[in-house]
Amino acid sequence: KAGVTQTPRYLIKTRGQQVTLSCSPISGHRSVSWYQQTPGQGLQFLFEYFSETQRNKGNFPGRFSGRQFSNSRSEMNVSTLELGDSALYLCASSLATSTLTYNEQFFGPGTRLTVL
Amino acid sequence: AQKITQTQPGMFVQEKEAVTLDCTYDTSDQSYGLFWYKQPSSGEMIFLIYQGSYDEQNATEGRYSLNFQKARKSANLVISASQLGDSAMYFCAMRSISGGYNKLIFGAGTRLAVHP
């Protein structure tokens, strides 16, 4: 079974630009979560999508947005990039359950974004 | 508020010895899950072990075991017979009902170095 894939793996942008990152979950997984990892703030939850709906959102400005398609693939978009957006962006997929049962999240390799 | 605390920024261990990585958590929820992930320098988060708040037995997965002390709100990871390939960042994470389905709260991480 193929794992979670993220594209691109590396990206360099300049301030003010926008960027779109893509995540393909494991086949059969309907939930996709996004995380930002920086040296200063560590790993922070961005948002989670399930069945094309945002189900949970972290404390990030509106410049960060996402969506999920009918095939469960997800994209996240960051508009008006700032230097502080430089980070490793990780995507995780899981089987979605409505109760707090064992529900492992499988992470992709991440997209390393550098904002100059 | 939900919080994960990892007080050891760095640890080192001799190959073949055991090592304990500390994790304490804070939540008012009765139902929650605790995870440990390994992050090698490549960036991908690798799931190691899971402990549910209602699980009576400590979780074990091969060389990994989780020392779960609910009253102390601690979930320490024990790696037995360390190997050179265990050198990586290790993150403790928690998910709870009030936090939302697949939202993981991560600790700051512990960098483990295994020496030959």
Side-chain angles (χ1 to χ4, degrees), chain A residues 31 35 37 56 100 103 105, chain B residues 39 47 50 95 99 102 104:
Chain A
S31 167
Y35 294 84
Q37 185 176 23
N56 204 351
L100 199 67
N103 190 13
Q105 290 198 42
Chain B
Q39 187 178 41
F47 167 78
Y50 167 84
R95 187 190 67 216
N102 284 318
L104 289 173

Side-chain angles (χ1 to χ4, degrees), chain A residues 31 33 35 37 43 45 48 55-56 88 90 94 97-98 100-105 107-109, chain B residues 31-33 35 37 39 42-45 47 50 91 95-97 99-104 106:
Chain A
S31 167
S33 300
Y35 294 84
Q37 185 176 23
L43 277 151
F45 172 81
E48 184 213 0
R55 193 161 66 168
N56 204 351
L88 179 67
L90 292 163
S94 68
T97 59
S98 59
L100 199 67
T101 55
Y102 177 71
N103 190 13
E104 181 181 341
Q105 290 198 42
F107 282 80
Chain B
S31 181
Y32 51 89
F35 302 77
Y37 285 89
Q39 187 178 41
S42 60
E44 185 170 354
M45 299 288 281
F47 167 78
Y50 167 84
F91 292 94
R95 187 190 67 216
S96 65
I97 287 181
Y101 297 103
N102 284 318
K103 175 183 178 180
L104 289 173
F106 285 90

Side-chain angles (χ1 to χ4, degrees), chain B:
Chain B
Q2 327 253 330
K3 190 177 181 181
I4 293 282
T5 302
Q6 294 180 254
T7 57
Q8 306 155 314
M11 290 279 287
F12 69 89
V13 65
Q14 210 73 25
E15 193 179 8
K16 299 180 185 176
E17 292 187 347
V19 63
T20 297
L21 305 183
D22 294 342
C23 171
T24 58
Y25 60 91
D26 188 22
T27 181
S28 55
D29 289 336
Q30 297 301 308
S31 181
Y32 51 89
L34 296 158
F35 302 77
W36 276 93
Y37 285 89
K38 171 185 177 181
Q39 187 178 41
S41 55
S42 60
E44 185 170 354
M45 299 288 281
I46 301 168
F47 167 78
L48 296 178
I49 198 166
Y50 167 84
Q51 179 85 40
S53 58
Y54 293 122
D55 294 341
E56 294 184 354
Q57 304 264 9
N58 285 345
T60 59
E61 289 285 349
R63 295 187 297 111
Y64 305 107
S65 60
L66 199 152
N67 184 0
F68 181 47
Q69 297 188 43
K70 197 169 181 177
R72 293 186 176 183
K73 292 192 174 179
S74 75
N76 298 339
L77 176 70
V78 180
I79 305 175
S80 63
S82 297
Q83 302 172 355
L84 295 179
D86 292 336
S87 294
M89 281 292 288
Y90 288 81
F91 292 94
C92 180
M94 174 175 66
R95 187 190 67 216
S96 65
I97 287 181
S98 65
Y101 297 103
N102 284 318
K103 175 183 178 180
L104 289 173
I105 305 295
F106 285 90
T110 295
R111 183 172 297 281
L112 177 67
V114 180
H115 295 175

